[in-house]
Amino acid sequence: MQLISLTANKESFRPVHFKNEVGLNFIVAIQKNPESSDKKGNTTNGVGKSLIIALVHFCLGSSKKDSFKKELSGWSFTLTFKIGGNIFKSERTTDKQDKIVLNGQEISVTKFKNKFEDLLFDIPAETSQLSYRSLLPFFIRPRKTSYSDYNNPNAVKKDYQIQITNALLLGLDVLLVEEKFKLRKEKERIRNLVKELNEDELLKDFFNQKKDATLEGQQVKEDILKLENDLKAFKVADDYYDINKDADKTKIDIEKAKNKITLLENQILNIEESRKISPDIKRENIEKIYKETSTIFNQESLKTLEDLEKFYEHLSSNREKRLLDKKNELLRSLNDLQTNIDQKKIELDTKLKYLDTHHALDIVLKLKDKLADLKAKEENIQRYDTLISKYQKSKIKTEKDFIASTEKTQYYLDDAKEVIKSTTDFFRELSKRFYPNATAGITVKNNDGDNQIRYHIDAKISADRSDGIGNIKIFCYDITILLKGFAHRVNCIFHDSRLLSDTDPRQIAELFKILNEYIKTSGKQYILSLNQNQLDEVKKYLKDDEYKTIIQQNICLELKDELPEDKLLGIQVDMDYN
């Protein structure tokens, strides 16, 4: 892919015509008052250099930009570019960002991305984290954070995604990356399974080996069998509680009857005792009573002594008869009570036998609930057995596959040394142009750690932690990917002026020489936006003809900060489009 032009539907827009489809293209921002530059040589012009890159990505299917819709409503931008011998025009409006008009035909952004993923990249079908939009930023770094790390222009936080994009472009086998990623996911799945088992109140004791699942399962099975047999033998009685109530009442009646019998027996004993007491009165006592009464009553009104004796005898016989009658009456009552008790006992025995062979419905239901609990417990134990078996098998298999994958990767890296060497030697060749005495190169090592990372890829220039050297490393890495990389047909790189900030002008001069030496001869395109003051600083490190042929003759656009119409949009707009 090589960029041809970027235009808009507004006359105020400064169209960008990339002068050289093969070769160098520079977009220069000219500041009215260069002395206002900060100590690092940066300017604060905001003329639209970085906006050009954002608009190129916009036309190439980037995510929606709310700021474009808000600040540039009614605008549309068109990027013309070439892939092989085919020219493409991609037009996208700020108000309808879910569609792109490609060569006059409106298609969805998703279809657009799928089309150019096929045209620009060779992504193995078996991979899951590679896409057109994840790879394109290696060639057109889209934002400020893209210049923080050489290997992460998307500024993503997923190490796996960083690794697989770099691996593809460096020509490494990404299927090995995908393989380790899947194995690691399987390991995580197994770990989650273990966590699930550990959190289950029933199963965690088994898992922690506080209980033996086999023995516990056998006991539960026996309990279930016993309970099922009990339930089969049970007879449900709807009147269970009524019968039980009657039985209780019968028991009480029997006890009451027994108490009455005791009372009657005591009364009979008392009668017997009374009968033993003789009511006999001696004759002299009768006579004494007679004399005492004769002084009060007249003789006619008194009975004779013989009459009294007869009276007394009559009285005694009546007493005996009354006691016997009473005793007989009590004996009959006693007999009736005993008969009643015997009947009650028969009734109670019948009811108790009934209750012994029958059960109330709610009791049966409770037993069925208990049976269900036991079966659930048995099912959990069986599930534990199944899970633990699968866990053990999966764990063993995954660990074997992990080792096999690591071994396979090591064999692969040994075989792919020449492929890796071609890129690392070129990176080293470029970096040596800037820092002849620095240790530099790209290393690829087999990562055998318990993680998702298959390759440990490191592009290194000694002391590259300083910003200037870090930027040079980004430049060397991107040029290496462009010229010596794999699996792409993106024949251009577009760098922002951020690449040059904090970089020594002598190194920037060398950068231009390298571009002049490699880009055109390789048939590629390189685009760089930069500030005039950066050119001014680098000028003294280039010969006049070098400055003229490498830089001046390749400037395709100049933007100025003096007036709005000199800026890219031709109007003054402040917006955050990153």
Side-chain angles (χ1 to χ4, degrees):
M1 180 176 72
Q2 287 136 312
L3 306 187
I4 297 174
S5 66
L6 175 67
T7 57
N9 64 338
K10 302 292 183 182
E11 290 186 0
S12 63
F13 185 75
R14 300 285 308 280
V16 185
H17 295 283
F18 301 100
K19 183 181 288 185
N20 301 305
E21 295 178 16
V22 173
L24 308 180
N25 295 270
F26 302 116
I27 299 167
V28 181
I30 300 174
Q31 193 176 19
K32 180 181 179 183
N33 298 309
E35 61 277 8
S36 64
S37 301
D38 61 24
K39 293 180 180 179
K40 295 181 178 179
N42 297 322
T43 64
T44 55
N45 45 46
V47 295
K49 302 189 305 296
S50 300
L51 180 59
I52 293 175
I53 293 177
L55 291 172
V56 168
H57 270 288
F58 183 67
C59 292
L60 291 176
S62 69
S63 57
K64 293 180 181 179
K65 301 287 186 186
D66 292 338
S67 58
F68 285 1
K69 185 175 182 179
K70 179 181 178 183
E71 304 293 345
L72 298 176
S73 179
W75 285 67
S76 69
F77 298 93
T78 301
L79 179 70
T80 304
F81 55 98
K82 184 168 75 174
I83 298 177
N86 298 317
I87 304 294
F88 297 92
K89 283 193 174 185
S90 170
E91 180 183 0
R92 194 177 184 186
T93 66
T94 57
D95 297 325
K96 191 180 177 183
Q97 298 188 22
D98 57 341
K99 300 289 183 182
I100 290 179
V101 178
L102 179 64
N103 291 347
Q105 182 180 359
E106 185 177 273
I107 60 175
S108 69
V109 173
T110 300
K111 284 187 177 179
F112 180 92
K113 290 190 287 189
N114 291 338
K115 178 180 180 64
F116 287 97
E117 181 173 298
D118 294 337
L119 288 174
L120 293 176
F121 299 103
D122 298 325
I123 299 175
E126 297 86 350
T127 57
S128 58
Q129 299 290 323
L130 291 168
S131 68
Y132 157 74
R133 288 302 311 173
S134 69
L135 294 168
L136 189 62
F138 280 88
F139 303 90
I140 307 174
R141 292 183 178 253
R143 59 186 73 88
K144 183 178 180 180
T145 52
S146 301
Y147 292 86
S148 298
D149 296 303
Y150 73 94
N151 61 348
N152 189 17
N154 294 297
V156 296
K157 296 181 179 178
K158 295 181 178 178
D159 291 340
Y160 172 76
Q161 190 173 356
I162 295 171
Q163 174 209 212
I164 197 168
T165 49
N166 283 273
L168 179 77
L169 296 175
L170 289 174
L172 300 175
D173 185 348
V174 292
L175 296 183
L176 290 172
V177 179
E178 188 77 11
E179 183 180 69
K180 186 176 182 184
F181 175 76
K182 290 178 178 176
L183 288 171
R184 187 58 165 67
K185 294 291 283 185
E186 177 63 11
K187 271 193 166 186
E188 291 175 359
R189 190 189 69 81
I190 293 172
R191 287 197 182 106
N192 289 334
L193 171 64
V194 172
K195 185 179 179 182
E196 178 188 342
L197 293 176
N198 210 22
E199 289 177 351
D200 188 293
E201 285 300 318
L202 172 65
L203 302 183
K204 68 179 181 182
D205 285 344
F206 299 139
F207 193 78
N208 295 328
Q209 299 184 342
K210 292 181 179 178
K211 290 183 180 178
D212 187 287
T214 303
L215 298 178
E216 190 74 15
Q218 289 174 348
Q219 184 60 49
V220 171
K221 193 179 290 293
E222 290 176 6
D223 292 343
I224 289 172
L225 184 61
K226 182 177 182 303
L227 196 52
E228 285 178 337
N229 290 334
D230 289 346
L231 281 170
K232 286 179 183 176
F234 283 175
K235 296 178 181 177
V236 178
D238 295 336
D239 56 352
Y240 180 88
Y241 288 112
D242 292 337
I243 299 297
N244 191 52
K245 188 177 178 180
D246 288 345
D248 291 340
K249 184 176 182 301
T250 303
K251 287 179 184 177
I252 294 171
D253 291 343
I254 290 172
E255 290 302 317
K256 286 181 178 178
K258 287 180 176 179
N259 291 334
K260 287 182 179 179
I261 286 174
T262 302
L263 290 174
L264 291 174
E265 288 174 342
N266 289 334
Q267 290 178 19
I268 292 170
L269 287 174
N270 289 335
I271 289 172
E272 289 299 323
E273 289 298 323
S274 297
R275 289 181 61 201
K276 291 177 182 177
I277 299 171
S278 175
D280 294 344
I281 302 175
K282 294 179 179 178
R283 184 177 179 79
E284 58 269 25
N285 291 335
I286 297 173
E287 289 177 353
K288 184 179 179 182
I289 295 170
Y290 179 80
K291 288 178 179 176
E292 288 176 354
T293 54
S294 64
T295 58
I296 300 172
F297 302 99
N298 59 47
Q299 293 298 319
E300 292 178 355
S301 63
L302 295 175
K303 298 292 184 180
T304 65
L305 179 60
E306 288 78 13
D307 292 335
L308 285 174
E309 286 178 340
K310 290 178 182 178
F311 171 74
Y312 174 72
E313 288 174 0
H314 179 71
L315 184 65
S316 296
S317 63
N318 284 342
R319 175 175 176 272
E320 177 65 14
K321 183 177 184 305
R322 181 172 53 80
L323 288 174
L324 287 174
D325 290 343
K326 184 62 178 178
K327 179 184 174 183
N328 290 332
E329 180 185 349
L330 290 174
L331 286 172
R332 284 193 295 274
S333 298
L334 188 65
N335 185 62
D336 292 343
L337 282 172
Q338 189 58 54
T339 301
N340 183 262
I341 286 173
D342 292 341
Q343 291 177 346
K344 292 286 184 184
K345 282 183 177 179
I346 293 171
E347 290 177 14
L348 179 61
D349 186 58
T350 303
K351 291 172 182 173
L352 290 177
K353 285 181 179 176
Y354 180 84
L355 293 175
D356 189 48
T357 55
H358 291 72
H359 298 272
L361 181 60
D362 58 341
I363 295 175
V364 175
L365 291 176
K366 286 180 181 177
L367 291 177
K368 286 185 176 179
D369 289 343
K370 184 178 179 181
L371 179 63
D373 291 342
L374 284 173
K375 287 185 175 179
K377 185 177 181 181
E378 182 186 37
E379 186 178 335
N380 279 336
I381 293 174
Q382 289 173 346
R383 183 168 68 93
Y384 166 78
D385 271 344
T386 303
L387 289 175
I388 205 66
S389 176
K390 287 177 64 178
Y391 158 69
Q392 294 290 359
K393 291 175 183 174
S394 297
K395 183 181 177 185
I396 293 170
K397 183 179 184 303
T398 303
E399 288 176 352
K400 282 183 178 177
D401 291 345
F402 228 83
I403 294 171
S405 179
T406 301
E407 184 181 31
K408 186 165 53 178
T409 301
Q410 192 56 54
Y411 283 124
Y412 163 74
L413 289 178
D414 290 342
D415 292 340
K417 279 183 179 177
E418 289 304 316
V419 176
I420 298 169
K421 188 173 183 299
S422 68
T423 53
T424 190
D425 283 353
F426 189 73
F427 177 86
R428 180 181 170 83
E429 176 184 325
L430 294 178
S431 60
K432 286 290 183 182
R433 294 280 297 269
F434 296 97
Y435 309 103
N437 298 320
T439 302
I442 299 174
T443 58
V444 180
K445 295 181 180 177
N446 189 4
N447 187 326
D448 60 356
D450 185 16
N451 51 51
Q452 298 176 349
I453 307 303
R454 177 70 288 165
Y455 303 117
H456 180 69
I457 303 170
D458 188 20
K460 187 79 176 175
I461 300 176
S462 296
D464 58 8
R465 288 186 179 179
S466 68
D467 290 338
I469 298 178
N471 288 339
I472 292 300
K473 184 165 72 171
I474 290 174
F475 172 79
C476 294
Y477 191 76
D478 288 356
I479 296 297
T480 299
I481 294 294
L482 176 69
L483 300 182
K484 299 294 181 180
F486 296 84
H488 75 85
R489 287 171 288 282
V490 184
N491 290 323
C492 76
I493 279 184
F494 195 154
H495 278 149
D496 189 70
S497 59
R498 294 186 177 98
L499 181 75
L500 306 182
S501 62
D502 299 318
T503 303
D504 189 289
R506 290 172 297 182
Q507 311 301 347
I508 297 176
E510 189 61 33
L511 180 150
F512 282 117
K513 292 177 183 176
I514 290 173
L515 290 173
N516 185 54
E517 184 177 337
Y518 285 99
I519 296 300
K520 192 170 183 178
T521 56
S522 64
K524 310 291 184 181
Q525 181 186 45
Y526 183 86
I527 305 166
L528 174 66
S529 68
L530 69 169
N531 297 320
Q532 180 61 51
N533 64 313
Q534 292 170 323
L535 287 180
D536 295 340
E537 291 173 353
V538 81
K539 193 172 184 179
K540 56 186 175 183
Y541 297 103
L542 295 172
K543 297 175 183 176
D544 290 343
D545 61 326
E546 286 179 326
Y547 186 81
K548 181 179 179 181
T549 57
I550 297 174
I551 298 175
Q552 280 187 316
Q553 290 182 357
N554 294 315
I555 294 175
C556 58
L557 178 67
E558 290 182 344
L559 299 171
K560 301 177 181 178
D561 66 350
E562 184 175 3
L563 298 171
E565 51 265 37
D566 294 329
K567 299 181 179 180
L568 180 67
L569 296 174
I571 58 174
Q572 185 63 46
V573 177
D574 295 323
M575 60 181 173
D576 181 8
Y577 47 83
N578 287 316

